Amino acid sequence: MSTMNRRAQSRERWRELLVGMVAPVLALGLWQWVAMMGWVDPLVLPAPLDVWRKWVAYLLPLTPYAGYTGGGWLRWALSGELPMDIYTSMVRVAVGFAIGAGLALPLGLAMGASPLVYAWMNPLVQILRPIPPIAYIPLAILWFGLGNPPAVFLIALGAFFPVLMNTIAGVRHVDGIYLRAARNLGAGGVTLFLRVILPAAVPYILSGVRIGIGTAFIVVIVSEMIAVNNGLGFRILEAREYFWSDKIIAGMITIGLLGLAIDIGMNRLNNHLLRWHRGLEH
């Protein structure tokens, strides 16, 4: 790629970023103005500056560095409530998503490639798929008790079906021209699956992964409000008990920023892994 093209792409990204910031900045300005006019009770809707101050307090370490005994400077800097809550929530998302996607991917490949497996498993999948993970909360607590296991179970459920359905769709929608061409060239069943079907299904699978990890992030917040005593969801519920609306909104904004970061990261990963696919189409 030439230097001129890279510069043009960089300018385009900055332009998109600036355009995307217009609506949030206007919303914050309107919110601050309404709060300054006193049209809403600060207990119900605190001003953005109050939320910012609470967010900073939520982020900072709870103890002075001079009195911290847990390790070095970096551990102290990340010892505040917010970094610890982010860490515990993201670990649950990673573990739950790995379990859910790890189970969904081979099952989806098998259902997509084998009409017999599809006929056996599809009725069960279609019965379970519409049930939201939140509906499993009583059973999750009954089966696993409180703590991380029920939360991980719910997250795995949330990630399982998006990855499963997209994997099935990807395998079943491989262009027949590719299959006939491979068979004419003497490709056997295993070679056909590994060299033709699986690569052609990768765009669908990655789309399912992107949806699944987003769903897993939503589910972790709900599960933390019920089954655990730390994490972003728990902290929001705790703030509600004490009427700390500024901390509730600070937690919500943190969740939104994390969700945005995850989606951007997944989008860039997809674009990187699918460079060959874009090259075929363009």
Side-chain angles (χ1 to χ4, degrees), residues 13-28:
R13 284 195 294 267
W14 277 107
R15 188 187 70 82
E16 291 178 356
L17 178 62
L18 292 175
V19 170
M21 290 297 295
V22 171
V25 169
L26 290 177
L28 283 173

Side-chain angles (χ1 to χ4, degrees), residues 101-264:
L103 294 173
L105 186 59
L107 179 60
L109 292 173
M111 291 179 64
S114 171
L116 180 61
V117 176
Y118 185 85
W120 274 90
M121 297 301 299
N122 187 59
L124 178 61
V125 168
Q126 297 305 327
I127 290 173
L128 296 178
R129 185 169 65 91
I131 303 175
I134 298 172
Y136 288 91
I137 288 176
L139 286 178
I141 295 175
L142 181 63
W143 292 343
F144 302 105
L146 299 176
N148 285 324
V152 170
F153 169 74
L154 295 171
I155 295 164
L157 273 177
F160 179 82
F161 287 104
V163 177
L164 176 68
M165 301 310 297
N166 276 56
T167 302
I168 295 172
V171 174
R172 291 173 67 88
H173 286 82
V174 175
D175 196 326
I177 295 176
Y178 300 152
L179 301 178
R180 290 192 294 271
R183 291 192 184 100
N184 290 337
L185 293 172
V190 176
T191 302
L192 185 67
F193 181 80
L194 294 178
R195 305 296 292 272
V196 179
I197 295 176
L198 186 57
V202 165
Y204 287 85
I205 295 173
L206 291 178
S207 295
V209 167
R210 184 177 180 183
I211 297 170
I213 200 168
T215 305
F217 189 68
I218 295 172
V219 174
V220 71
I221 303 302
V222 177
S223 64
E224 287 176 345
M225 291 183 174
I226 297 167
V228 299
N229 59 0
N230 54 21
L232 293 169
F234 169 80
R235 205 63 63 188
I236 289 175
L237 190 67
E238 179 189 54
R240 187 206 67 177
E241 298 293 332
Y242 293 98
F243 298 99
W244 295 337
S245 55
D246 50 358
K247 192 171 185 178
I248 293 174
I249 298 175
M252 293 169 61
I253 292 174
T254 302
I255 292 169
L257 292 175
L258 285 174
L260 176 62
I262 291 172
D263 188 70
I264 291 174

